[in-house]
Amino acid sequence: MQFQWYPGHMTKAKRAMQEDLKLIDVIIELVDSRVPYSSKNPDIDQMANGKSRILLMNKCDLADTNVTDEWIKYYEDKGYFVVRVNSKSGSGVKAVHEVIQKACRDKIERDRRRGILNRPIRAMIVGIPNVGKSTFINSFAGKACTKTGNKPGVTRGKQWIRLNKKVELLDTPGILWPKFEDQKVGLNLAFIGSIKDELYNIYELSLLLIKFLVEEYPDVIAEFYGIENSTDEVKLIESIAERRGYLKSGAQYDFDKVAKCLIADFRQGKLGKISLERPC
Ligand code: G4P
């Protein structure tokens, strides 16, 4: 399966983000915990240019906890402050406040030495589409926040959300298109639903997902669908079709219906906590 990449979107988004990054002290980057490498846009690393970096392992409720632990260590070793988050339930979100203070300790100290006290830290949320930026911002900012409005000369018309005395958040998240020149990255992003369904063949995608699951999580499909286990992808699809009664006229198996169902069940976490990649 081949995926296409759209440099046009990328260039425009990058330019806008570069401007916004000039205004902020700390970058809060969200990745999907099931694919912490594939959902991380490497351009942000180049643009960060010495800013403090916080990495949020979002959707941790959907990923394999042990593998997420490995990723946290991997990124901490690279100098990130890392927090495991489930933005949907709010779990881990509060901890981000404390981590922001930690990540900006040097800047706060620098300000203090120059006699600047209590200047709020400015933060920006970034990430590829669908990674959970809006959900996180809603959970993080909550109802208590107030929009601070324009500050001429300082923010150049940007809107900021004042979270508390210590932190202000740029109210529009930085969206970067995923980079999927690498086919493995493209495939992982298709599995989690970050690439439009029209761009690939759903049946082929389901076969690749089953192949991965048979190798890495050998019991999940048989257990969830209540079917006999097998290492044969097509056999598993046929068993699901039979079990669920997904048949077309002439008693043929409805492979597309099974494929859609399997992919949706995986994306919603019904098959269990599954990670699609490990740090190497
Ligand atoms: P974006 O701004 O980065 O594009 O992402 P957005 O917040 O719109 O979130 C994309 C989808 O991911 C939403 O689901 C959202 O509910 C879900 N999501 C965000 N954070 C988490 C998380 O930590 N865990 C889980 N399980 N899901 C999360 P949706 O299907 O588009 O909408 P809905 O299911 O909320 O109706």
Side-chain angles (χ1 to χ4, degrees), residues 61 89 93 111 136 149 172 210 216 232 240 266 268:
D61 52 307
S89 73
V93 171
D111 278 357
F136 173 75
T172 42
I210 296 175
E216 299 291 329
D232 180 333
I240 297 170
F266 164 74
Q268 288 162 25

Side-chain angles (χ1 to χ4, degrees), residues 30 58-62 85-89 127-136 173 267-268:
L30 270 82
N58 194 39
K59 307 197 185 185
C60 68
D61 52 307
L62 302 176
V85 172
N86 172 354
S87 297
K88 212 167 174 176
S89 73
I128 65 167
N130 207 39
V131 78
K133 294 178 294 303
S134 316
T135 311
F136 173 75
R267 287 177 183 164
Q268 288 162 25

Side-chain angles (χ1 to χ4, degrees), residues 50-70:
K51 307 251 181 209
S52 301
R53 306 288 302 276
I54 296 174
L55 192 75
L56 302 186
M57 305 280 293
N58 194 39
K59 307 197 185 185
C60 68
D61 52 307
L62 302 176
D64 185 327
T65 310
N66 293 332
V67 180
T68 303
D69 287 343
E70 289 175 29

Side-chain angles (χ1 to χ4, degrees), residues 123-124 137 147 158-161 168-174:
M124 182 181 171
I137 290 171
K147 294 213 169 162
K158 296 282 170 196
Q159 291 280 325
W160 297 85
I161 302 168
E168 287 182 355
L169 192 67
L170 191 60
D171 99 331
T172 42

